[in-house]
């Protein structure tokens, strides 16, 4: 990353400035995390790039976070995390009960899919719920346009989900085609790409930057699945001045603490549900169900209703599980502290 960057070029806003005290301005260094690894992370400030070791006392951090540092000898130490404008997160893949932070302070979330077998409306709804919950602006990018006979059909299906949704159809290997993304790539704007591996995210990154920032890998033609080509999250400054968060492909996206995002994604269903005769209507057999009435009139599809119910249940289940885990962690922490206090008291006798 260019070491001669101002805070505004790094995405600094009045929102973050208002969180600083006079002491912060005089005695700390303002920096943004540009890469994050298990044992350390790298930050960018107006003074250049610095490596900071990960400490168990740190709050959960991710790429895109704004933090304050203090210098001790030759080392930079974490002082404080500034409140985030936006935060992308998900439940960790598999059965692991933990939250995985994807990126912070992102302005536009490009939801990338392709015009091949990867195109899946239910998956788009899942990503839209993530975007709306995080308060990022979602923009759908369909790649491999040159390999699709009727790309307009895919665009029509997506705009039918939300007529305010921006949908772009591109050939990720052509700079002229990728220029459709430029209105969201202003100076200091932070962008993120999410989508399955093999849909052309890395090719989009390289075309936007006009240089090879990410490796690319071919997809398997039998199932249109891709291989992971990005292995860690990192912020890149584009030639046009925007900052791009490059992330590994996400094959599994489990939602947690995302009810508002789901409701906004399915606002047509949630508005109808408020008009049902019963407040706890399951939209299956109850009389006076406005969701079923819309289905019978052809205003809704069964697929959309089923996915709405599925995502609501999933986020509720994962949210409850994570809340229980946090409660157990707090209880265990109190137990350890009490044991340590008892041991100190015994030694003092």
């Amino acid at each position: 990353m260019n070491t001669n960057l101002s805070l505004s070029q790094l995405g600094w806003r009045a929102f973050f400035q208002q969180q600083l005290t006079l002491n912060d301005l005089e005695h700390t260094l303002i920096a943004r995390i540009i890469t994050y690894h298990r044992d350390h992370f790298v930050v960018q400030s107006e003074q250049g790039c610095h490596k900071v070791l990960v400490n168990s006392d740190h709050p959960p951090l991710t790429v895109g976070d704004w933090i304050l540092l203090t210098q001790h000898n030759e080392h930079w130490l974490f002082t404080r995390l500034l409140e985030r404008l936006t935060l992308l997160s998900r439940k960790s893949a598999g059965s692991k009960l933990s939250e995985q932070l994807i990126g912070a302070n992102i302005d536009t979330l490009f939801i990338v899919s392709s015009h091949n077998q990867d195109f899946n409306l239910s998956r788009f709804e899942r990503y839209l719920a993530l975007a709306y919950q995080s308060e990022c602006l979602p923009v759908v990018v369909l790649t491999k346009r040159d390999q699709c006979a009727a790309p307009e059909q895919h665009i029509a299906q997506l705009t039918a989900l939300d007529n305010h949704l921006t949908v772009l159809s591109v050939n990720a290997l052509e700079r002229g085609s990728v220029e459709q993304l430029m209105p969201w790539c202003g100076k200091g704007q932070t962008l993120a790409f999410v989508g399955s591996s093999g849909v052309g995210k890395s090719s989009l990154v390289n075309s936007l930057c006009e240089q090879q920032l990410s490796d690319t890998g071919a997809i398997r033609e039998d199932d249109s699945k891709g291989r992971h080509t990005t292995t860690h999250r990192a912020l890149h400054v584009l030639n046009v001045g925007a900052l791009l968060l490059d992330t590994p492909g996400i094959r599994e996206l489990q939602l947690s603490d995302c009810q508002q995002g789901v409701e906004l994604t399915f606002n047509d269903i949630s508005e109808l549900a408020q008009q049902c005769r019963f407040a706890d209507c399951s939209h299956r057999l109850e009389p006076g169900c406005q969701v079923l009435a819309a289905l019978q009139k052809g205003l809704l599809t069964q697929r959309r209703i089923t996915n709405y119910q599925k995502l609501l249940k999933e986020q509720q289940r994962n949210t409850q599980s994570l809340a229980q885990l946090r409660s157990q962690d707090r209880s265990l922490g109190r137990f350890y502290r009490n044991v340590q206090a008892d041991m100190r008291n015994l030694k003092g006798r």
Side-chain angles (χ1 to χ4, degrees):
M1 180 175 280
N2 186 349
T3 57
N4 299 315
L5 293 173
S6 66
L7 290 181
S8 61
Q9 289 175 309
L10 288 168
W12 186 254
R13 307 285 177 79
F15 173 82
F16 305 114
Q17 186 74 28
Q18 293 166 359
Q19 300 178 46
L20 302 181
T21 65
L22 289 176
N23 184 68
D24 292 332
L25 293 171
E26 293 177 0
H27 301 291
T28 65
L29 178 70
I30 303 169
R32 194 174 190 190
I33 298 178
I34 57 173
T35 61
Y36 198 93
H37 303 274
R38 289 185 177 181
D39 60 344
H40 74 279
F41 54 89
V42 178
V43 301
Q44 173 85 41
S45 73
E46 289 184 320
Q47 297 182 14
C49 292
H50 310 285
K51 178 179 177 181
V52 182
L53 296 179
V54 172
N55 189 297
S56 59
D57 293 333
H58 294 171
L61 300 172
T62 188
V63 172
D65 272 329
W66 283 99
I67 62 174
L68 302 180
L69 302 174
T70 53
Q71 191 169 20
H72 180 70
N73 296 326
E74 297 180 355
H75 302 286
W76 287 98
L77 304 178
F78 170 85
T79 299
R80 182 158 66 91
L81 167 68
L82 298 185
E83 182 183 347
R84 297 154 171 148
L85 265 173
T86 63
L87 176 65
L88 286 174
S89 67
R90 64 167 179 173
K91 176 187 170 296
S92 294
S95 58
K96 186 177 181 180
L97 282 179
S98 63
E99 183 183 30
Q100 182 183 28
L101 304 185
I102 299 173
N105 301 312
I106 295 162
D107 299 299
T108 302
L109 182 67
F110 289 114
I111 302 171
V112 186
S113 182
S114 61
H115 280 294
N116 58 21
Q117 295 177 34
D118 183 73
F119 185 90
N120 184 297
L121 288 176
S122 295
R123 185 185 299 132
F124 281 114
E125 290 166 342
R126 181 178 291 270
Y127 279 116
L128 286 172
L130 175 73
Y132 289 135
Q133 184 67 34
S134 69
E135 299 186 349
C136 298
L137 173 68
V139 175
V140 173
V141 182
L142 298 176
T143 62
K144 307 185 190 297
R145 181 184 176 92
D146 56 316
Q147 301 176 23
C148 181
E152 293 77 13
Q153 294 181 6
H154 287 161
I155 297 173
Q157 291 179 57
L158 285 166
T159 53
L161 300 180
D162 182 350
N163 56 11
H164 297 295
L165 181 64
T166 300
V167 182
L168 308 176
S169 179
V170 305
N171 179 353
L173 299 177
E174 293 183 359
R175 170 69 183 177
S177 181
V178 174
E179 284 184 348
Q180 295 180 65
L181 281 64
M182 296 307 293
W184 296 272
C185 299
K187 291 183 179 180
Q189 291 291 302
T190 302
L191 326 169
F193 285 9
V194 293
S196 303
S197 296
V199 298
K201 289 197 296 96
S202 295
S203 297
L204 279 172
V205 171
N206 296 333
S207 294
L208 277 173
C209 300
E210 297 185 303
Q211 58 186 2
Q212 192 77 10
L213 288 183
S214 300
D215 295 330
T216 58
I219 63 171
R220 300 192 299 263
E221 295 299 334
D222 56 341
D223 60 3
S224 297
K225 299 295 184 181
R227 301 175 178 84
H228 293 280
T229 53
T230 303
T231 58
H232 67 279
R233 296 174 181 85
L235 271 180
H236 303 289
V237 178
L238 309 186
N239 294 337
V240 293
L243 297 103
L244 188 146
L245 173 62
D246 193 20
T247 66
I250 299 176
R251 289 196 185 277
E252 181 181 357
L253 176 64
Q254 293 192 42
L255 302 179
S256 65
D257 196 17
C258 196
Q259 181 166 349
Q260 181 180 359
V262 174
E263 297 290 357
L264 289 172
T265 302
F266 298 88
N267 64 327
D268 50 348
I269 298 179
S270 57
E271 289 177 2
L272 286 170
Q274 296 176 7
Q275 304 172 29
C276 290
R277 180 182 302 177
F278 303 105
D280 60 347
C281 183
S282 65
H283 317 306
R284 289 187 174 88
L285 298 173
E286 294 88 343
C289 175
Q290 298 304 307
V291 174
L292 289 180
L295 175 64
Q296 294 170 357
K297 295 176 182 177
L299 302 177
L300 289 174
T301 64
Q302 185 61 57
R303 181 210 61 79
R304 185 161 169 81
I305 296 173
T306 300
N307 201 38
Y308 167 68
Q309 295 171 328
K310 174 185 176 181
L311 295 185
L312 269 185
K313 288 182 178 179
E314 177 184 307
Q315 75 86 27
Q316 290 169 355
R317 180 179 64 252
N318 288 336
T319 300
Q320 292 172 357
S321 298
L322 290 173
Q324 291 170 359
L325 179 64
R326 295 187 187 108
S327 177
Q328 292 171 1
D329 288 342
R330 286 194 295 269
S331 298
L332 188 60
R334 286 194 295 270
F335 172 75
Y336 286 147
R337 288 192 293 273
N338 290 336
V339 170
Q340 291 171 351
D342 291 342
M343 292 180 67
R344 287 194 296 269
N345 291 334
L346 288 173
K347 288 181 180 180
R349 291 180 178 179

